Amino acid sequence: MSWDQVTLLVLASFGCVTLLLTQISEVLSKVPPIIRAWRKVQAELHRGGRHRSTAERTGPEEPLEEREAVE
């Protein structure tokens, strides 16, 4: 094994380690927002149907033809 091969092997190893550490850092930086979002989902599920959206509170909308016929 020549010194050129050793040097290339060392450089490639450091490159792989750097890439691996960068990817781990990216994944770990996304964990807190995911945990917050999961807790928000759980809180909404535990609240149940007490807080419904306005679309759920009102009845179905009349078709446009029926509204024009009434006017």
Side-chain angles (χ1 to χ4, degrees):
M1 183 176 262
S2 70
W3 283 108
D4 289 340
Q5 290 176 332
V6 171
T7 304
L8 288 175
L9 182 63
V10 169
L11 286 173
S13 299
F14 278 118
C16 288
V17 168
T18 303
L19 181 63
L20 180 66
L21 291 175
T22 303
Q23 294 299 313
I24 290 171
S25 172
E26 287 294 319
V27 169
L28 290 178
S29 71
K30 290 180 171 91
V31 170
I34 291 171
I35 291 172
R36 280 193 293 273
W38 177 246
R39 287 181 180 165
K40 187 175 179 181
V41 167
Q42 285 180 327
E44 290 294 325
L45 290 174
H46 286 294
R47 266 190 237 160
R50 287 185 284 171
H51 299 285
R52 298 184 323 182
S53 69
T54 55
E56 293 172 343
R57 281 185 253 152
T58 60
E61 191 172 313
E62 300 175 337
L64 183 59
E65 296 83 25
E66 289 181 19
R67 279 189 274 163
E68 289 174 351
V70 172
E71 295 174 350

